[in-house]
Amino acid sequence: MTIYFYGADEVPYGCFSNFSAHGFDLDGRWWPTSEHYFQAQKFAGTRHADLIRRAATPLRAAQLGRDRSRPLRRDWDRVKDDVMRRAVAAKFAAHADIRAILLGTGDEEIVEDTDTDHYWGRGRSGVGRNMLGRILMRTRTRLRADQAHTGDKGHGGVRSSADQ
């Protein structure tokens, strides 16, 4: 059965949302949410990136990151998937509770249930690229492999998944 998610407050899969309040350390900084990290990376190395990192909410971070009065980094289209992958890996490596939820989905398909985003979610047509769902499923596979490799059922992948 396909697992659909969208809002950060949905139980139990709201933790899959980039707006979920599961912070992590990455690139030498603390990020309150994966949305903060993702949006800030559009402007990496600028004061605007730090403003996004310090935004009070993930919604505000998203608004600041979508502000097109500031130029995006030139390679954004090429690196955005990797930026999201790193954020998701770091988030699930940092939090055993949500890591268990992700691993508990077995081999089910995970889909971001939004009709407004055809790239990160399923989109209005229902056949969008679902890149966030695909990244979550790949993260699940890596975490599972790390657990099998280390034999650690509670903390597998904490170090190596965030670095991948």
Side-chain angles (χ1 to χ4, degrees), residues 1 5 7 16 29 50 70 78 85 94 99 104 107 151 158:
M1 175 196 291
F5 74 94
F16 296 169
R29 301 225 184 276
D50 197 53
R70 299 180 184 274
R78 185 175 53 79
R85 182 191 57 75
R99 185 168 56 249
D107 292 322
V158 171

Side-chain angles (χ1 to χ4, degrees), residues 2 11-12 19 21 30 32 36 41 47-48 63 67 69 73 84 86 94 97 110 113 124 143 148 159 162-163:
T2 301
V11 177
F19 280 41
W30 173 257
H36 283 79
Q41 295 315 299
R47 289 177 44 205
H48 193 62
Q63 291 167 339
D67 175 2
S69 69
R73 58 191 273 186
M84 183 68 77
R86 293 184 74 235
D97 57 340
I110 300 172
D113 191 19
R124 182 168 290 116
L143 289 169
R159 287 178 303 276
D163 295 335

Side-chain angles (χ1 to χ4, degrees), residues 88-144:
V88 169
K91 174 173 130 174
F92 284 92
H95 298 278
D97 57 340
I98 64 172
R99 185 168 56 249
I101 292 169
L102 181 59
L103 289 169
T105 62
D107 292 322
E108 299 298 335
E109 181 181 20
I110 300 172
V111 175
E112 185 181 26
D113 191 19
T114 173
D115 61 3
T116 59
D117 193 328
H118 298 271
Y119 187 80
W120 296 110
R122 68 184 190 99
R124 182 168 290 116
S125 65
V127 294
R129 296 204 49 199
N130 188 38
M131 290 304 293
L132 180 55
R134 291 165 60 183
I135 287 169
L136 285 160
M137 291 182 284
R138 279 188 228 127
T139 300
R140 175 182 65 194
T141 299
R142 286 189 181 107
L143 289 169
R144 190 181 296 141

Side-chain angles (χ1 to χ4, degrees), residues 26-27 37 81-91 162 164:
L26 189 56
D27 299 338
Y37 181 81
D81 290 355
D82 189 53
V83 167
M84 183 68 77
R85 182 191 57 75
R86 293 184 74 235
V88 169
K91 174 173 130 174
Q164 292 179 350

